[in-house]
């Protein structure tokens, strides 16, 4: 019926108004107009719609499921694995002649690149029914999914994503970007832009946006990095994959060159102020922890203090913020006693295991700093051997600190 109404609107624009619409619009049928008593117009039949092949229908269903994942549906994420298995089994059981149709072949490649894996494409190749014109995309996608990068690059990169169906073009651009990112980051960014434009609002766009943000961080393209980061945090903050994104995003922020602390913190704050309070607070805390792991004290203190202002007093987030700030200030001249007191008062019961390890390491460091450097071990001179110099106290302390930092980072990565 929707198609019939659209057709009627188009006809009306050309001056052909269906009789039924004319009666409704002027009220003649209900209010005694001049057409009262006229024979009713014949019903408008919907335009015929050709049935779609089974692979196309299955891929459409998969994409709808994945779009819900991009919006944060954990249920859709859990159901995806079962549907992929079901869809693959269904397509493997189709008549081999199915794969002589380019439409079905494109759907199969879209399925493989969209999470279905290489199994169905192996089946297509074995069937011998794939049209000659479609073999490069089939063999290229199969090589990509099987990790044969050189062969995949030779076959896939030559294919224009704009000359294939849109859903396949978006997946193809995403795969091509991964194949060229090491050798040509600029081209990789262009392809990710294209994938986003071809599939707006989908899991493909969500994935392309995530990848592009980190490629831009590597290229130190701050302006576009900030723009796309804000876009992701606004539009896909509930995505099933957003948690992993925030972890990597915080680490990337600590490595970017914003020119100076004042400028860097102002731009960082402006960027994060664009998102809701809960997401902003979590990002500040993740950034503070990442900065601690990288030994960036100033960034850790700034981020922890911003996170604290967004946390409810006494909440686990507030406890984390105080811990990160105190751990960062422990080695700052004049802030030692304040930091130690904060560390001692920290409620470890609300911390996760990685933060409890951080608290223990910080307290251990504080005790060693207060105790002072160990007395140097006297070395007896050996006139016949090489001269051994004692280790300076400052060097010993630095070596101990490096060892503790390495241990903290190892624990946090487990």
């Amino acid at each position: 019926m929707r198609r019939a109404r659209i057709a009627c609107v188009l006809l009306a624009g050309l001056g052909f108004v269906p009789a039924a619409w004319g009666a409704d619009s002027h009220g003649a049928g209900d209010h005694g107009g001049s057409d009262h008593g006229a024979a009713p117009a014949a019903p408008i039949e919907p335009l015929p719609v050709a049935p779609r092949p089974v692979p196309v229908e299955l891929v459409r269903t998969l994409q709808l499921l994945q779009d819900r994942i991009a919006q944060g549906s954990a249920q859709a994420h859990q159901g995806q694995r079962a549907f992929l298995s079901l869809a693959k089994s269904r397509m493997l059981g189709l008549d081999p002649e199915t794969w002589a149709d380019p439409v079905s072949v494109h759907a199969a490649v879209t399925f493989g690149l969209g999470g279905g894996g290489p199994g169905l494409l192996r089946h297509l190749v074995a069937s011998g029914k794939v049209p000659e014109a479609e073999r490069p995309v089939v063999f290229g996608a199969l090589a990509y999914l099987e990790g044969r990068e050189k062969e995949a690059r030779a076959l896939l990169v030559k294919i224009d994503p704009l000359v294939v169906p849109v859903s396949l073009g978006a997946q193809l651009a995403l795969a091509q970007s991964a194949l060229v990112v090491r050798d040509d980051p600029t081209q990789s960014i262009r392809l990710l832009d294209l994938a986003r434009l071809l599939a707006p609002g989908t899991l493909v766009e969500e994935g392309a946006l995530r990848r592009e943000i980190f490629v831009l961080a590597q290229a130190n393209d701050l302006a576009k990095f900030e723009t796309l980061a804000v876009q992701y945090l606004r539009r896909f903050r509930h995505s099933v994959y957003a948690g992993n994104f925030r972890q990597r995003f915080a680490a990337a922020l600590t490595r970017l060159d914003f020119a100076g602390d004042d400028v860097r913190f102002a731009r960082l704050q402006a960027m994060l102020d664009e998102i809701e309070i809960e997401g902003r607070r979590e990002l500040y805390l993740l950034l503070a922890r990442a900065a601690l792991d990288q030994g960036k004290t100033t960034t850790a203190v700034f981020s922890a203090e911003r996170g604290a202002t967004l946390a409810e007093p006494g909440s686990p987030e507030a406890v984390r913020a105080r811990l990160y700030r105190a751990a960062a200030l422990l080695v700052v001249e004049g802030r030692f006693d304040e930091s130690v007191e904060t560390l001692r008062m920290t409620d470890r019961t609300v911390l996760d295991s990685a933060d409890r390890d951080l608290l223990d390491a910080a307290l251990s460091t504080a005790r060693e700093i207060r105790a002072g450097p160990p007395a140097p071990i006297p070395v007896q001179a050996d006139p016949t051997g090489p001269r051994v110099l004692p280790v300076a106290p400052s060097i010993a302390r630095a070596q101990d600190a490096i060892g503790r930092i390495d241990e903290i980072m190892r624990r946090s990565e487990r």
Side-chain angles (χ1 to χ4, degrees):
M1 286 303 294
R2 184 178 175 217
R3 292 177 181 269
R5 290 181 180 178
I6 292 172
C8 289
V9 171
L10 293 173
L11 289 171
L14 296 172
F16 299 95
V17 182
W21 279 33
D24 287 344
S25 61
H26 292 90
D30 295 329
H31 303 293
S34 60
D35 290 336
H36 182 68
I44 299 173
E45 295 295 330
L47 297 174
V49 178
R52 288 182 287 263
V54 170
V56 174
E57 292 289 0
L58 290 170
V59 168
R60 285 171 62 87
T61 302
L62 173 63
Q63 290 169 336
L64 290 172
L65 188 68
Q66 291 179 333
D67 293 347
R68 292 180 57 201
I69 293 172
Q71 298 306 317
S73 173
Q75 185 178 7
H77 186 246
Q78 292 168 359
Q80 179 182 225
R81 183 185 296 273
F83 181 79
L84 286 169
S85 176
L86 176 66
K88 177 183 173 183
S89 176
R90 179 86 184 277
M91 286 190 276
L92 288 174
L94 294 173
D95 189 294
E97 291 298 326
T98 301
W99 310 117
D101 179 7
V103 173
S104 293
V105 172
H106 291 157
V109 176
T110 304
F111 176 80
L113 294 176
L120 180 60
L121 297 184
R122 293 190 191 115
H123 175 73
L124 263 68
V125 172
S127 74
K129 298 296 183 179
V130 178
E132 184 71 29
E134 309 304 330
R135 290 183 181 179
V137 71
V138 172
F139 281 86
L142 181 58
Y144 174 76
L145 292 170
E146 291 181 338
R148 291 179 279 119
E149 188 173 320
K150 185 176 180 180
E151 183 181 347
R153 191 185 300 112
L155 291 168
L156 283 189
V157 172
K158 297 176 183 178
I159 302 173
D160 185 353
L162 295 175
V163 302
V164 296
V166 172
S167 59
L168 173 57
Q171 291 284 4
L172 184 59
L174 201 61
Q176 289 172 336
S177 72
L179 290 170
V180 304
V181 66
R182 282 197 301 271
D183 299 328
D184 192 350
T186 301
Q187 176 64 4
S188 179
I189 290 170
R190 291 195 195 100
L191 289 164
L192 291 168
D193 282 337
L194 179 59
R196 294 191 296 114
L197 289 171
L198 290 174
T202 67
L203 188 63
V204 172
E205 186 199 7
E206 190 268 357
L209 198 53
R210 268 188 290 122
R211 293 187 192 182
E212 187 168 356
I213 287 166
F214 297 117
V215 176
L216 292 167
Q218 291 290 331
N220 210 41
D221 185 344
L222 300 184
K224 193 171 183 181
F225 171 86
E226 292 175 15
T227 299
L228 295 192
V230 169
Q231 190 177 141
Y232 184 91
L233 294 167
R234 282 178 177 172
R235 296 179 54 230
F236 294 109
R237 63 181 180 272
H238 300 303
S239 167
V240 171
Y241 305 109
N244 176 266
F245 167 80
R246 287 192 289 267
Q247 293 275 358
R248 295 183 61 198
F249 180 62
L253 284 173
T254 64
R255 299 187 182 99
L256 287 175
D257 180 10
F258 286 95
D261 284 345
D262 291 340
V263 174
R264 178 160 59 98
F265 294 149
R267 292 178 69 173
L268 175 61
Q269 185 172 335
M271 180 166 43
L272 298 191
D273 280 350
E274 294 284 343
I275 61 177
E276 83 286 355
I277 289 179
E278 291 79 7
R280 197 186 326 160
R281 179 184 61 225
E282 183 62 19
L283 272 171
Y284 273 124
L285 293 177
L286 288 171
L287 180 56
R289 181 57 198 263
L292 271 176
D293 290 343
Q294 296 178 31
K296 298 188 175 182
T297 303
T298 306
T299 301
V301 171
F302 169 82
S303 303
E305 289 177 346
R306 292 298 303 168
T309 64
L310 301 171
E312 291 290 332
S315 66
E317 292 78 13
V319 175
R320 287 172 60 198
R322 288 197 302 272
L323 167 63
Y324 299 156
R325 181 179 182 273
L329 290 174
L330 193 63
V331 294
V332 175
E333 188 174 356
R335 310 300 292 270
F336 178 80
D337 291 334
E338 166 199 344
S339 300
V340 170
E341 184 62 23
T342 300
L343 292 171
R344 287 176 175 169
M345 296 294 291
T346 298
D347 181 4
R348 63 187 299 114
T349 63
V350 303
L351 301 175
D352 63 22
S353 60
D355 283 341
R356 287 196 296 270
D357 289 343
L358 174 63
L359 174 60
D360 291 340
L363 287 170
S364 175
T365 300
R367 286 192 294 270
E368 293 181 18
I369 292 174
R370 178 156 290 176
I377 300 174
V379 178
Q380 296 181 350
D382 183 357
T384 62
R387 183 183 177 188
V388 179
L389 297 176
V391 178
S394 59
I395 295 176
R397 287 197 301 273
Q399 290 173 339
D400 290 341
I402 290 171
R404 285 192 296 273
I405 291 170
D406 288 342
E407 179 62 25
I408 292 170
M409 292 181 69
R410 281 195 297 272
R411 292 174 179 172
S412 65
E413 290 173 354
R414 291 171 186 167

